[in-house]
């Protein structure tokens, strides 16, 4: 559990401020993460890493020479927002292009992918290499769907070393992808981790057992087995990695990684057994690492990573590196300097990640009276939805913890709170389009994660669809919901039956459209649509997840509804009730 904190909601911002002060000679704090204190040489590729916080040294600890130019840091176990990624990218860009590289998690893919698209629109060459080293998260035939765990360190260093020596972005991208293709990791957990401010762990491991195939976002393993001796554990961890050994796999970089609560002496015991076992299998070990490299708050667990080396990868793996968390070879820390902002202030005094406001939208034509009235109603609906979700936050977290990291209720509450604050701070003269765009941006920026990206996009799409007409009809509302449904499906890449929020959103959309076309009143229409959403959410209990963090733990998810679908149904029911009450009061 977290014993030292102020406001739990500000935990990441507080930690990053302290980290930047502790390593002021190497990193500068920017709004969204950290960058090197000294800018890259002009023309060099900026390798940017990132993801949710709670994994230190990942991600901020790997910003430095021979590693990353910057790190984008989201909230605990939650992907950073698109806006955060863009701010860090702009701060780190040296004209040689941007390479994003991070673990393959749905929220990260959505937010970083959108940042890449926007950078390209600005004329900046931006690329992405996803890291997929966790053998427990998908079988070999679906290796590109695996998530990234401690193997991310291998890809970070290979990409960073290539960029440091002046390789082009084409070459840095190729080498990062090559390193990922030859990196494999496997882990076990002995106890779950606890989110800052929480009073219980996200999951429990039975006494005398260990959970094989853990995730680094508080997900439990895929199966529990009795505890093993160090030598037995070494064999267990290495077995699936050796099964995927390439034909030229004779040399390997080896990482024995602690997840947060396993002490270094224990790690060294395991490392000795791992070395003996791998050498007996004919593996030559090259510059190994043993310690904490990718943690999961206070989780008790360990993982083993092998990067199968060839000549070009070995040269880069042996290359020097210097960062707060990893030092190799002869590099020393960069000479201290102060990175100035556009306003001439040191970057260290800027606000922490996720707390900056998105740029104000461009000035547009004045909203119609109908659009202004709709904006007033939208503000009230957002407030009501926030209260409805806050009342169910614990239940949503418990559902999410079955096959995820348990933060869905917290994330939804945080996102809705940000959306409400953005809506309430907006000028009363704006219309519903601008209000929902601001609310959606605030939701995405603050909540991060997959749900933050999807709900933020949905709100903004509803606003764009409604626009600013002289009058609104029920058909306009149905069309806006249909547009948001399409946007969420396209952005998340899911479909009904995948056990996601779409399993509630699709029947809501369909019923709404059918009832409006039949001429049913709006209140009755929304009540029927909300009932359809609830039925859709309930039906996810029997489904097997095909996307997201729950997919590797499919069996545990069966019999329990999807938290994203449930949260959608809660908001749908609240919306229907709000409209019914509003109509009754008119």
């Amino acid at each position: 559990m977290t014993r030292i904190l102020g406001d739990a909601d500000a935990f990441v911002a507080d930690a990053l401020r302290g980290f930047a002060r502790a390593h002021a000679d190497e990193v500068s704090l920017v709004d969204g993460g950290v960058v090197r204190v000294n800018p890259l040489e002009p023309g060099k590729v900026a390798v940017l890493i990132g993801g949710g916080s709670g994994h230190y040294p990942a991600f901020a600890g790997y910003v430095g020479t021979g590693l990353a130019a910057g790190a984008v840091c989201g909230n605990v176990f939650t992907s950073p927002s698109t806006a955060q990624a863009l701010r860090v990218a702009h701060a780190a860009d040296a004209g040689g292009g941007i390479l994003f590289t991070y673990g393959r998690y749905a929220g990260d893919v959505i937010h970083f992918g959108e940042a890449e698209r926007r950078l390209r629109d600005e004329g900046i060459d931006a690329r992405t290499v996803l890291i997929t080293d966790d053998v427990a998260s998908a079988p070999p035939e679906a290796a590109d769907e695996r998530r990234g765990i401690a193997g991310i360190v291998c890809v970070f260093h290979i990409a960073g070393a290539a960029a440091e020596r002046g390789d082009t972005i084409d070459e840095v991208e190729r080498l990062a992808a090559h390193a990922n293709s030859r990196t494999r990791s496997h882990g076990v957990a002995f106890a779950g981790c606890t989110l800052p401010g929480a009073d219980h762990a996200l999951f429990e491991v039975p006494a005398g057992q260990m959970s094989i195939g853990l995730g680094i976002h508080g997900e439990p393993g895929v199966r529990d087995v009795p505890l093993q001796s160090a030598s037995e554990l070494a064999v267990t961890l290495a077995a699936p990695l050796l099964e995927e050994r390439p034909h030229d796999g004779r040399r390997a970089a080896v990482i024995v990684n602690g997840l947060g609560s396993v002490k270094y002496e224990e790690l060294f015991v395991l490392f000795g057994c791992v070395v003996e076992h791998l050498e007996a299998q004919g593996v030559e070990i090259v510059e190994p690492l043993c310690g904490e490299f990718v943690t999961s708050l206070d989780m008790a667990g360990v993982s083993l990573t092998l990067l199968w080396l060839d000549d070009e990868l070995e040269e880069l793996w042996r290359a020097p590196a210097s960062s707060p968390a990893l030092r190799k070879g002869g590099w020393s820390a960069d000479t201290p300097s102060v990175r100035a902002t556009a306003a001439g202030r040191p970057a260290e005094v800027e606000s922490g990640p996720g707390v900056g406001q998105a740029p104000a939208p461009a000035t547009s034509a004045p909203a119609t009276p109908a659009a202004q009235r709709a904006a007033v109603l939208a503000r009230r609906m957002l407030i009501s939805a926030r209260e409805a979700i806050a009342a169910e936050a614990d239940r949503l977290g418990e559902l999410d913890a079955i096959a995820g990291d348990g933060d869905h209720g917290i994330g939804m509450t945080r996102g809705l709170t940000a959306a409400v604050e953005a809506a309430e701070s907006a000028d009363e003269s704006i219309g519903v389009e601008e209000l929902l765009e601001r609310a959606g941006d605030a939701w995405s920026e603050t909540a991060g994660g997959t749900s933050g990206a999807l709900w933020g996009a949905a709100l903004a799409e509803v606003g764009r669809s409604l626009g600013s007409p002289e009058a609104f009809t029920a058909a306009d509302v149905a069309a806006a919901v249909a547009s948001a449904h399409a946007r969420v499906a396209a952005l998340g890449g899911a479909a009904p039956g995948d056990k996601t929020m779409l399993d509630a959103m699709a029947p809501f959309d369909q019923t709404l459209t059918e009832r409006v076309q039949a001429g049913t009143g709006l209140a009755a229409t929304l009540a029927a649509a909300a009932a359809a959403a609830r039925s859709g959410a309930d039906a996810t209990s029997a489904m097997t997840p095909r996307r997201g963090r729950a997919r590797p733990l499919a069996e545990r998810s069966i019999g329990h509804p999807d938290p994203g679908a449930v949260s959608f149904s809660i908001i749908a029911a609240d919306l229907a009730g709000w409209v019914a009450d509003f109509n009754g009061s008119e």
Side-chain angles (χ1 to χ4, degrees):
M1 63 181 296
T2 306
R3 297 174 177 83
I4 302 176
L5 75 164
D7 180 353
D9 289 337
F11 181 78
V12 171
D14 291 343
L16 268 183
R17 277 194 288 270
F19 166 78
R21 289 291 186 92
H23 299 282
D25 59 334
E26 297 180 89
V27 299
S28 287
L29 186 67
V30 296
D31 191 0
V34 296
V35 295
R36 293 192 197 180
V37 72
N38 281 336
L40 296 176
E41 295 176 15
K44 283 193 172 182
V45 176
V47 174
L48 297 186
I49 63 178
S53 296
H55 307 300
Y56 190 83
F59 295 91
Y62 297 122
V63 173
T65 309
L67 288 157
V72 191
C73 305
N75 282 308
V76 174
F77 297 168
T78 305
S79 65
S81 69
T82 297
Q84 287 177 275
L86 286 171
R87 290 193 291 268
V88 175
H90 287 139
D93 181 30
I98 301 289
L99 179 70
F100 290 115
T101 184
Y102 50 88
R104 187 185 183 281
Y105 293 91
D108 293 327
V109 172
I110 292 171
H111 286 290
F112 281 108
E114 179 66 10
E116 177 186 337
R117 184 190 67 78
R118 294 190 190 181
L119 289 170
R120 286 179 171 274
D121 288 346
E122 297 173 15
I124 298 173
D125 191 350
R127 318 276 183 91
T128 294
V129 171
L130 298 178
I131 306 174
T132 54
D133 58 299
D134 180 18
V135 299
S137 57
E141 60 269 22
D144 61 345
E145 296 183 5
R146 288 172 171 169
R147 60 195 175 188
I149 52 175
I152 61 178
V153 177
C154 300
V155 180
F156 293 169
H157 183 37
I158 296 298
E164 201 68 52
R165 71 184 181 187
D167 288 7
T168 66
I169 191 168
D170 288 338
E171 190 67 358
V172 175
E173 179 186 26
R174 181 188 72 81
L175 288 165
H178 182 44
N180 177 64
S181 73
R182 295 172 69 91
T183 302
R184 301 289 187 273
S185 299
H186 190 210
V188 301
F190 310 113
C193 61
T194 308
L195 295 173
D199 58 3
H200 61 277
L202 290 176
F203 70 92
E204 301 289 343
V205 178
Q209 301 275 302
M210 63 183 189
S211 190
I212 294 181
L214 62 96
I216 60 169
H217 294 92
E219 309 98 327
V222 296
R223 69 183 188 278
D224 294 337
V225 301
L227 287 172
Q228 299 175 350
S229 68
S231 59
E232 291 171 330
L233 180 57
V235 174
T236 295
L237 289 171
L241 312 185
L242 292 170
E243 287 176 4
E244 297 186 27
R245 183 177 184 174
H247 66 87
D248 61 346
R250 297 181 297 276
R251 294 164 291 161
V254 176
I255 301 177
V256 169
N257 174 62
L259 270 294
S261 291
V262 177
K263 306 311 298 180
Y264 270 66
E265 287 85 350
E266 296 175 86
L267 295 176
F268 292 141
V269 170
L270 176 61
F271 181 78
C273 295
V274 166
V275 168
E276 292 175 359
H277 178 60
L278 292 178
E279 289 180 340
Q281 303 300 313
V283 179
E284 177 187 348
I285 297 173
V286 178
E287 293 197 4
L289 300 174
C290 180
E292 292 184 345
F293 301 99
V294 180
T295 62
S296 184
L297 295 173
D298 59 344
M299 181 185 287
V302 295
S303 64
L304 173 64
T305 296
L306 299 184
L307 165 59
W308 297 103
L309 298 170
D310 55 20
D311 290 345
E312 64 179 351
L313 290 179
E314 181 170 347
E315 178 183 353
L316 291 166
W317 179 250
R318 290 182 180 274
S322 179
S323 72
L326 180 61
R327 306 197 190 280
K328 299 183 66 183
W331 284 112
S332 59
D334 290 336
T335 302
S337 67
V338 176
R339 175 181 294 272
T341 66
R345 295 178 293 109
E348 285 82 352
V349 302
E350 294 188 58
S351 56
V355 299
Q357 295 298 315
T363 302
S364 57
T368 63
Q372 292 176 353
R373 289 193 295 271
V376 172
L377 297 181
R379 283 190 187 94
R380 297 176 184 173
M381 291 177 187
L382 285 170
I383 293 170
S384 183
R386 178 185 61 182
E387 294 172 351
I389 287 294
E392 297 284 353
D394 289 344
R395 180 168 72 95
L396 291 171
E398 291 168 359
L399 278 176
D400 191 34
I402 292 168
D405 58 14
D407 69 344
H408 185 69
I410 295 172
M412 287 291 294
T413 302
R414 183 183 292 128
L416 269 164
T417 298
V420 167
E421 290 174 352
E424 290 184 325
S425 65
D427 191 280
E428 293 185 359
S429 65
I430 70 171
V432 68
E433 178 178 5
E434 186 174 341
L435 181 131
L436 288 180
E437 285 183 347
R438 290 191 185 188
D441 286 347
W443 190 325
S444 176
E445 169 85 2
T446 303
T450 306
S451 65
L454 298 180
W455 274 102
L459 279 188
E461 191 63 34
V462 168
R464 283 190 287 270
S465 179
L466 291 174
S468 186
E470 295 299 328
F472 290 99
T473 67
D476 294 328
V477 175
V481 170
S483 182
H485 176 197
R487 175 62 175 151
V488 168
L491 192 59
D498 285 345
K499 196 164 188 173
T500 70
M501 69 181 283
L502 281 182
D503 290 299
M505 192 176 196
F508 180 87
D509 175 20
Q510 181 180 354
T511 303
L512 188 66
T513 298
E514 291 173 350
R515 292 298 183 99
V516 166
Q517 291 175 347
T520 307
L522 184 58
T525 293
L526 286 172
R534 174 60 185 272
S535 296
D538 290 343
T540 61
S541 293
M543 296 178 184
T544 299
R546 296 198 288 261
R547 289 188 173 272
R549 293 179 188 166
R551 180 174 50 80
L553 301 171
E555 292 183 2
R556 296 192 182 193
S557 174
I558 296 174
H560 304 278
D562 176 69
V566 172
S567 61
F568 182 92
S569 70
I570 291 170
I571 291 176
D574 182 75
L575 172 64
W578 190 92
V579 170
D581 291 343
F582 178 79
N583 285 350
S585 65
E586 289 291 285

